[in-house]
Amino acid sequence: MRARERVIDVEALPSGLQARTDAGTVMRVQACTPEILRVRVARDGKFEEGGLERYGFVRVDWPEVECEVTDGGRRCLLKTSVLEARLGKAQANLEFRANGHSLLAAHGTPWSDETGFGARFGLQEGERFVGFGDQTRDRIEHRGGAARMWIRNVNSYTPIPFFMSSRGYGLFVNSTWRHVYDMGKTSNDWYGLAGPAGQLDYFIIHGPDYATILDRYTDITGKPYIPPLWSFGLWFICHTEADARAMLDDCRQFRDYHIPCDVVGLEPGWMEQNYDFTTDKTWHPERFKIPPYCPNGPHNFLDAARRMGFKPMLWLCCDYDLSSEEERRLARGQGTPETRAETLGEEIVGAFEVDENLRSERRMDTQTKPGEPWFDHLKKFVDQGVELFKQDGANQVLDHPDRKWANGMTDEEMHNLYPLLYSKQMHLGFREHTGRRATCFTASGYAGLQRWTGTWAGDTGGGPKPLASMLNLSMSGHSLMTCDMEVTTKDGIHFGFLQPWSQVNSWNYWRQPWYQGYRLQEIFSEYCRLRYALLPYLYSMAHVAHRTGMPILRAMPLMFPDDEHCYDLLTQYMLGDSLLVSAFSDEVYLPDGEWVDVWTFARHCGPATLKYTPPENRGGGLFVRAGTMLTATPVPFCPPQYVEDSPWAGLSYYVWPGGDSETTLIEDDGTTYAYEEGEVCETHAFWSEKPDRYVCRIDAPVGHTRLLPERRQVELFVALEQAPTGVSLDGEVLQRGAGTGGEGLLWDWSVPSAEEFPFGAWGLTLRTEWDPREPHEIEIVP
């Protein structure tokens, strides 16, 4: 336990206060918003700018907040309209309160000096903690455990120094320095954090629930970005020794087998030098021969793949000094000369002026080229047709204990920051070069990665452990996630398709679906068709994530924070607002309410734990709440081969009766960043159940309706167990069978079958075509 310090001086600041102790420690508390406070602690008041702040991963431009600062005899108080920070003078300890209730209180004086930084807080009975990113795959509730903030290969790909408490607050530590959290592992009375270097800098975030806290945390570190629409289709990565012909044969087979797919990727075998970390990398001259007289244009193998609807992806490894480019960008943004910032510990590579004829130097870093941004050497591949890059863990997940980076940092501060710089520069590099949305894809990250990139679960397969990693990331602000799908089992296929992104990575194996045997190939194809049917739903959820921070894949506590059973669930999750997915378990827990098995239409009342066996051709459970309405696309026998074949010319609304509900379809152009300026179109649909009828109402869209087609085919499927006695559309009573008015309108009914969604009989079925810019209403009389 550290020695106690006593507050001897308090000063009111704009939106905050600053206090000094008798040991020279200075504590600054700033109100960023009425619900967010930032606390900084430094010896002698010398506050340092950390890497997250310096390079734009943490917001610092907060408007002034109206607050009250009072200095009493025993304590001083900072009060916003929502939060209070009480600083006890006798021990220099902080307590945070909201709406008259204590959220958390410090145990003793925090420290931030030459020995490092740290703080302790009191543990409350029944308090639970979630978050911390992908630093353990054994649990999603962290009370009684420890969390280490240090990126490591396989064991800790994406640690995030942020957690949420069941008592209505989140705590985010603004530091890339190595540090650790003891969440009640040592004592039942307190939890704390400590690091051997750096300064204590943290945000307290208040909210009534996890969703609100997550929204406010991503106000600090950035909202998840929305990748291109096509990225939500299937990705396939070829065998690492594939050549151009083998890659194109894989593309052709997907088309011939009518299995939709949007991305084809190449592993490190595409390079002339295997695992080439340099910026001089070239195509393997035998496997991927591109004639020098036509390096670009319609004649190379990349263009052939693109003509079949595939977006090519290349594997990358990187050990470049990315801090140089960050400093150059920072200098340009601040309008300062690029000749070198005097405050840096050593020269910024390439940022000084010198007569090249007089240069005499030898650099230990033989890969980084002075003055050349990392992405520059990738532009030639983009110009040839490459659309995205896979940023392998490689050296970004390894320690560099003897490296001094160009921005003056040692690896103790740079190690956790490096993957963020990598993804940020890949994202901005592609955006600035093409004007199109970037699709960044990495194994590693840290706080703020959601603004720039998606992740996969690294070289750990596609089983229960990768699922656990996604659950923890979902409660840490991250949304775009996937893993290497296990195509040799039904369980792996089921999980692999029901997540934000879906990818199959052959690596050194043969994971093409047509090599898995007829039965698994058929299951793979049906799940793939299901995924493409769900694209409007998944894409709308990506917009929700961008607006609110609520991820696409959600650990159960995010949706059911008051259900204590949900904190132990490692084999199920919510996919968006409506779908409950179970995987790798013969049990599924259904929270309170009535739930419908999507595969079989069977209904179950929760809360309940079910022994569950999926149908023979399914690999896990899929459930919805009774009353759910879900937006999808039509799924004919031969679905669209890739996303650009289906710009929502048709929509399907699926309804499982049992209560009122609503759903919102959010559309944009799918390829540009216009969505950041609000160029989206929203269509709200409502399902209501009245004593004498059901009503499905589709409101007129709001926003940029120019994004919509002139006419749109629409299907409505309602899981009714008995045939209705009447159906009307916009006031016109319809006869069962073909409709009137030349619209090709019809409705029919059949007994809901156990054939799996979305392919089986569905009770009421109505198909029509209408102007999507107009409101419409369907009435169904039981």
Side-chain angles (χ1 to χ4, degrees), residues 202-224:
Y202 65 90
F203 291 79
I204 294 294
I205 308 161
H206 170 60
D209 50 41
Y210 294 142
T212 305
I213 297 168
L214 208 55
D215 188 11
R216 291 169 180 165
Y217 164 71
T218 51
D219 284 342
I220 299 170
T221 58
K223 300 295 186 189

Side-chain angles (χ1 to χ4, degrees), residues 313-442:
M313 174 173 67
L314 296 182
W315 183 99
L316 286 182
C317 52
C318 178
D319 210 12
Y320 211 69
D321 192 335
L322 303 172
S323 69
S324 300
E325 173 62 12
E326 285 301 309
E327 289 296 330
R328 276 191 293 271
R329 285 180 175 269
L330 192 62
R332 290 195 294 270
Q334 294 176 343
T336 57
E338 296 182 41
T339 55
R340 182 184 180 273
E342 292 293 330
T343 57
L344 294 183
E346 70 180 46
E347 196 170 82
I348 299 175
V349 178
F352 53 89
E353 298 174 357
V354 67
D355 186 339
E356 294 294 327
N357 295 322
L358 301 178
R359 182 190 296 275
S360 178
E361 60 183 25
R362 181 181 183 278
R363 298 186 180 277
M364 298 302 293
D365 179 359
T366 60
Q367 293 179 9
T368 306
K369 293 183 178 180
E372 180 179 313
W374 164 257
F375 192 82
D376 276 10
H377 84 287
L378 301 175
K379 292 178 181 177
K380 61 179 179 290
F381 300 109
V382 174
D383 293 342
Q384 288 178 324
V386 173
E387 191 69 22
L388 67 160
F389 299 88
K390 175 182 176 180
Q391 299 161 222
D392 191 73
N395 287 10
Q396 65 170 320
V397 299
L398 303 181
D399 293 7
H400 296 72
D402 60 348
R403 187 165 186 175
K404 187 67 172 289
W405 299 88
N407 61 359
M409 291 183 180
T410 66
D411 202 52
E412 286 295 302
E413 186 176 10
M414 185 69 172
H415 176 75
N416 287 330
L417 180 62
Y418 187 91
L420 291 180
L421 302 184
Y422 190 7
S423 291
K424 177 185 175 185
Q425 291 182 24
M426 291 293 293
H427 188 123
L428 291 177
F430 186 89
R431 177 176 184 167
E432 293 163 358
H433 183 61
T434 68
R436 301 191 299 272
R437 278 190 225 173
T439 303
C440 293
F441 184 50
T442 186

Side-chain angles (χ1 to χ4, degrees), residues 240-262:
T240 192
E241 294 187 1
D243 58 13
R245 179 58 184 268
M247 172 188 138
L248 292 175
D249 283 348
D250 283 339
C251 294
R252 183 69 261 167
Q253 293 276 52
F254 274 100
R255 299 296 178 248
D256 289 346
Y257 281 110
H258 302 291
I259 302 173
C261 189
D262 273 86

Side-chain angles (χ1 to χ4, degrees), residues 25 37 53 95 118 258 297 331 387 415 502 603 614 764 766:
T25 298
L37 301 180
E53 180 176 337
E95 179 190 10
H258 302 291
E387 191 69 22
H415 176 75
S502 286
R603 292 184 174 240
L764 172 69
L766 185 149

Side-chain angles (χ1 to χ4, degrees), residues 223-301:
K223 300 295 186 189
Y225 88 104
I226 304 175
L229 177 58
W230 54 259
S231 73
F232 290 91
L234 177 65
W235 302 15
F236 177 78
I237 301 175
C238 302
H239 192 286
T240 192
E241 294 187 1
D243 58 13
R245 179 58 184 268
M247 172 188 138
L248 292 175
D249 283 348
D250 283 339
C251 294
R252 183 69 261 167
Q253 293 276 52
F254 274 100
R255 299 296 178 248
D256 289 346
Y257 281 110
H258 302 291
I259 302 173
C261 189
D262 273 86
V263 174
V264 61
L266 296 172
E267 289 289 84
W270 72 269
M271 305 174 180
E272 180 176 17
Q273 175 184 328
N274 198 36
Y275 280 72
D276 191 342
F277 284 87
T278 74
T279 57
D280 299 318
K281 60 179 65 71
T282 59
W283 293 102
H284 193 287
E286 285 80 37
R287 291 180 185 153
F288 299 96
K289 184 175 179 61
I290 296 180
Y293 50 83
C294 58
N296 301 346
H299 304 296
N300 67 43
F301 68 96

Side-chain angles (χ1 to χ4, degrees), residues 686-688 690 693-697 777-780:
F686 302 86
W687 173 260
S688 60
K690 305 180 185 302
R693 67 190 186 281
Y694 303 122
V695 178
C696 176
R697 189 181 88 240
E777 185 171 283
I778 300 167
E779 286 196 357
I780 304 164

Side-chain angles (χ1 to χ4, degrees), residues 368-544:
T368 306
K369 293 183 178 180
E372 180 179 313
W374 164 257
F375 192 82
D376 276 10
H377 84 287
L378 301 175
K379 292 178 181 177
K380 61 179 179 290
F381 300 109
V382 174
D383 293 342
Q384 288 178 324
V386 173
E387 191 69 22
L388 67 160
F389 299 88
K390 175 182 176 180
Q391 299 161 222
D392 191 73
N395 287 10
Q396 65 170 320
V397 299
L398 303 181
D399 293 7
H400 296 72
D402 60 348
R403 187 165 186 175
K404 187 67 172 289
W405 299 88
N407 61 359
M409 291 183 180
T410 66
D411 202 52
E412 286 295 302
E413 186 176 10
M414 185 69 172
H415 176 75
N416 287 330
L417 180 62
Y418 187 91
L420 291 180
L421 302 184
Y422 190 7
S423 291
K424 177 185 175 185
Q425 291 182 24
M426 291 293 293
H427 188 123
L428 291 177
F430 186 89
R431 177 176 184 167
E432 293 163 358
H433 183 61
T434 68
R436 301 191 299 272
R437 278 190 225 173
T439 303
C440 293
F441 184 50
T442 186
S444 184
Y446 198 67
L449 80 159
Q450 70 276 355
R451 183 180 171 191
W452 305 105
T453 189
T455 57
W456 88 102
D459 298 331
T460 57
K465 293 296 186 181
L467 170 54
S469 78
M470 296 183 199
L471 300 180
N472 279 314
L473 284 168
S474 78
M475 295 187 286
S476 308
H478 191 45
S479 184
L480 293 169
M481 299 173 278
T482 188
C483 62
D484 293 338
M485 187 189 303
E486 298 285 0
V487 299
T488 58
T489 67
K490 293 186 295 183
D491 305 52
I493 293 170
H494 171 82
F495 173 53
F497 276 109
L498 296 175
Q499 50 187 257
W501 278 343
S502 286
Q503 65 135 358
V504 175
N505 182 8
S506 275
W507 183 234
N508 281 317
Y509 311 109
W510 307 99
R511 290 176 172 155
Q512 293 88 335
W514 46 90
Y515 291 152
Q516 308 313 313
Y518 173 76
R519 190 59 180 145
L520 281 176
Q521 178 188 331
E522 184 180 59
I523 292 171
F524 184 99
S525 297
E526 290 184 354
Y527 268 102
C528 194
R529 290 165 61 197
L530 167 61
R531 179 172 184 84
Y532 276 73
L534 291 174
L535 287 182
Y537 171 74
L538 294 172
Y539 196 64
S540 296
M541 292 300 104
H543 272 274
V544 171

